[in-house]
Amino acid sequence: MFGIDISTFILVVALVVDFTIRVVAIIVVPRNRRPTSGMAWLLAIFFIPYIGALLFLLIGYRTLPKKRIEMQAEINQFILESTDGIEQVRRDHPWPGWLESVVELNRNLGAMPLVGGNTARLLGDYNATFAEMIVDIDKAKRWVHVEFYILSLDTTTAPFFDAMERAVQRGVTVRVLMDHIQSMRKPGYRKTLKRLTESGVKWELMLPLQPLKGKWQRPDLRNHRKLVTVDGVVGYMGSQNIIDRTYNMKSNLRRGLKWKDLMTRLEGPIVAGLNAIFITDWYGETNELLTRDIQPVQPTQAPHTLDCQVVPSGPGFEGENNLRLFLALLYYAQERIVITSPYFVPDESIMYAITTATQRGLHVELFVSEIGDQALVYHAQRSYYEELLRAGVIIYMYKAPYVLHAKHFTIDDEVAVIGSSNMDMRSFSLNFEVSLMVRGRSFVRDLRAVEDGYRADSTLLTLEDWMKQPLRSTILDNLARLTSAVQ
């Protein structure tokens, strides 16, 4: 009898806890959350209440610790004050009438101004990009700032590490930031840290998960930025990490996967804005504010230069800066939109903007990879193809074994965006990203040439071909789409 009573008691408690979890979830989960994300979390909690609730407690909130948010606000204010009055750009013909409001949007969200007097050159050759960065690091006289989602020492990147060591030996201050989790997951992590230390490089881990050292935040928040600045004169940004293009993973080597990236080399006042991103992240990890390295630069009014605006985004900001920028540009476009995104898992607002563009009569193209390196993301992305194709979006699939990892899009013939941000919900809400909005026909023309190269190496996806997908693939795609909304 006693055993039955205990069993009954445990059953009653379990039922009460189960019911309580479901009721509390209905109240807590949807608050300040996208409907799609809230629904996905509620489904997870209702179907697997104990596991779902535990996961929600672990990764269900997207904010950083209060101190980190305050530090972001502090440096945003500093950037606003130190760059006040340098928004001097050539508003010569053709200057889109709508661009002014987008510039104001970016300034309000990310604190960075639009500045003129810049030059930019696209770099699409993986190893040649390393070579160019090494040349500029070898010219450094004061400091080199390096920040990457993944930074790993291997045979491909060894010359980059050698260049940083040579800079230190010349008396140049070299600072390095790398995302803790992603860099740690790659082969040779300890060897990488040892080499940095022995070289005299000042390095820090971004968003480290080190509970014993008091360093903890939501574990799947990541710093996805990729940038280099040298003496405030030259800067690099884009999609490429400091690692071999195979990412040195056994599964990639077995499949023959190689990454196809795009970086841009910048000169002019915009480099100070790019450097401010590094300074923000360095401050967040070290409490050391490198104000001496934020130097307001007055733009020059030289011919054939570009107007550029750095747009930072991430959980340290109140708004989803990159999402708002992308939406504004998609709705303002008048003729043509071309999007390149390796991980295209849009939220409802992006899908509406893109399909509305085709309904407005615009030509819309999307470049994605034929294959994927992340199964869940790959299948979630595929779940959107039918809707996009029916709406009139032209989809090109970059041929295997290359993973098209570049992240950029062009609007008409006037404006382009390039950076680290994918068009997916993770990049909008969970990752620290940096984008660059460029106004200039020459830059857009150069990106169009890059897009032409993609098109030549891609397969056109038709609705007829897509509808031949087996049912099991459709089911898997839709299940992956559901999990992508849980954030």
Side-chain angles (χ1 to χ4, degrees):
M1 180 66 72
F2 182 77
I4 296 176
D5 290 341
I6 289 294
S7 300
T8 303
F9 176 76
I10 292 174
L11 178 60
V12 170
V13 170
L15 290 173
V16 170
V17 171
D18 181 278
F19 179 76
T20 303
I21 288 174
R22 295 167 189 264
V23 172
V24 171
I26 292 173
I27 298 171
V28 173
V29 170
R31 186 176 182 184
N32 298 323
R33 191 179 300 273
R34 287 198 193 95
T36 52
S37 176
M39 183 59 68
W41 271 117
L42 287 174
L43 285 172
I45 293 171
F46 270 63
F47 278 110
I48 45 174
Y50 294 104
I51 297 175
L54 182 62
L55 286 174
F56 182 78
L57 291 174
L58 186 64
I59 63 172
Y61 57 95
R62 55 170 288 229
T63 57
L64 288 166
K66 182 180 179 181
K67 182 181 178 182
R68 289 290 295 258
I69 296 176
E70 290 174 348
M71 294 169 78
Q72 180 71 63
E74 178 184 347
I75 202 163
N76 281 358
Q77 187 59 38
F78 176 81
I79 292 170
L80 281 170
E81 294 172 356
S82 62
T83 58
D84 185 40
I86 73 166
E87 302 95 327
Q88 299 174 21
V89 296
R90 298 193 323 273
R91 287 168 173 78
D92 55 338
H93 180 78
W95 172 271
W98 48 262
L99 186 57
E100 200 76 54
S101 65
V102 179
V103 171
E104 182 67 16
L105 169 71
N106 294 336
R107 179 70 153 158
N108 289 334
L109 293 174
M112 301 291 185
L114 178 76
V115 294
N118 306 289
T119 61
R121 183 159 49 86
L122 295 171
L123 304 171
D125 185 295
Y126 202 93
N127 291 331
T129 299
F130 281 131
E132 291 227 18
M133 290 191 289
I134 288 167
V135 168
D136 284 322
I137 291 173
D138 280 335
K139 294 177 182 178
K141 297 179 180 178
R142 296 184 294 131
W143 49 260
V144 176
H145 290 163
V146 175
E147 177 176 343
F148 283 88
Y149 181 53
I150 300 172
L151 188 136
S152 181
L153 175 62
D154 56 38
T155 55
T156 299
T157 63
F160 186 91
F161 283 77
D162 293 340
M164 291 193 292
E165 184 174 12
R166 289 193 297 270
V168 172
Q169 292 171 348
R170 296 195 310 271
V172 174
T173 300
V174 180
R175 300 182 181 94
V176 169
L177 289 170
M178 72 186 89
D179 185 78
H180 179 205
I181 297 300
Q182 283 304 315
S183 293
M184 183 177 65
R185 291 176 60 187
K186 299 300 176 285
Y189 172 67
R190 293 187 181 279
K191 182 175 65 175
T192 299
L193 299 186
K194 181 180 179 182
R195 178 62 192 281
L196 290 172
T197 301
E198 292 177 347
S199 299
V201 171
K202 298 180 179 180
W203 60 270
E204 294 287 340
L205 301 173
M206 295 188 291
L207 299 176
L209 291 178
Q210 298 170 318
L212 297 180
K213 296 183 180 180
K215 297 179 179 180
W216 177 263
Q217 61 276 318
R218 174 173 168 168
D220 62 338
L221 297 182
R222 303 270 46 93
N223 195 314
H224 194 240
R225 295 166 177 164
K226 296 111 176 159
L227 62 91
V228 175
T229 59
V230 179
D231 292 341
V233 176
V234 176
Y236 292 82
M237 68 171 300
S239 66
Q240 186 169 323
N241 286 295
I242 305 297
I243 192 170
D244 183 80
R245 68 189 311 173
T246 65
Y247 279 43
N248 301 316
M249 303 298 287
K250 291 182 180 179
S251 60
N252 295 345
L253 294 169
R254 185 173 60 254
R255 299 170 64 192
L257 299 187
K258 297 179 181 179
W259 266 241
K260 174 73 174 176
D261 281 287
L262 189 67
M263 298 285 281
T264 183
R265 182 184 183 276
L266 300 163
E267 292 188 57
I270 197 60
V271 177
L274 193 60
N275 189 52
I277 301 298
F278 178 92
I279 289 170
T280 300
D281 290 335
W282 186 265
Y283 182 43
E285 303 301 347
T286 68
N287 284 319
E288 179 187 9
L289 182 56
L290 307 171
T291 54
R292 63 185 179 279
D293 290 333
I294 299 181
Q295 300 176 354
V297 179
Q298 293 298 324
T300 57
Q301 298 299 324
H304 310 300
T305 56
L306 303 169
D307 302 325
C308 301
Q309 187 173 27
V310 173
V311 184
S313 58
F317 295 91
E318 291 185 4
E320 294 164 314
N321 299 358
N322 49 356
L323 174 59
R324 293 174 188 272
L325 165 63
F326 296 167
L327 286 172
L329 292 177
L330 290 171
Y331 278 115
Y332 276 127
Q334 301 297 305
E335 299 172 0
R336 183 183 180 92
I337 299 168
V338 182
I339 300 168
T340 301
S341 180
Y343 310 117
F344 183 83
V345 187
D347 71 348
E348 191 175 71
S349 64
I350 286 287
M351 282 296 289
Y352 265 90
I354 291 175
T355 54
T356 298
T358 60
Q359 291 166 358
R360 289 193 290 128
L362 275 63
H363 179 91
V364 181
E365 295 181 22
L366 171 65
F367 286 95
V368 294
S369 292
E370 183 178 68
I371 54 176
D373 63 304
Q374 299 180 32
L376 274 178
V377 177
Y378 172 69
H379 283 286
Q381 173 174 290
R382 287 161 50 92
S383 72
Y384 293 90
Y385 289 170
E386 181 180 346
E387 182 180 353
L388 291 168
L389 290 168
R390 290 190 184 280
V393 175
I394 300 170
I395 300 178
Y396 289 98
M397 305 180 75
Y398 200 77
K399 293 180 180 179
Y402 291 94
V403 174
L404 184 56
H405 192 243
K407 310 152 198 301
H408 52 83
F409 71 106
T410 49
I411 300 295
D412 299 337
D413 294 324
E414 300 297 330
V415 178
V417 175
I418 184 171
S420 67
S421 180
N422 299 303
M423 275 201 179
D424 68 352
M425 289 178 271
R426 163 161 284 280
S427 287
F428 297 150
S429 300
L430 304 179
N431 287 346
F432 285 85
E433 307 282 3
V434 58
S435 302
L436 181 75
M437 186 178 75
V438 181
R439 177 257 172 175
R441 289 201 165 197
S442 62
F443 189 80
V444 175
R445 189 164 54 245
D446 291 344
L447 262 180
R448 292 274 190 244
V450 171
E451 294 162 359
D452 289 341
Y454 296 161
R455 201 174 289 106
D457 290 326
S458 298
T459 300
L460 177 65
L461 180 64
T462 66
L463 181 60
E464 181 182 1
D465 289 337
W466 183 248
M467 296 309 294
K468 296 176 183 178
Q469 293 291 317
L471 178 61
R472 64 178 182 275
S473 294
T474 301
I475 293 173
L476 186 57
D477 294 345
N478 290 336
L479 286 174
R481 179 171 177 169
L482 179 62
T483 61
S484 70
V486 177
Q487 54 176 282

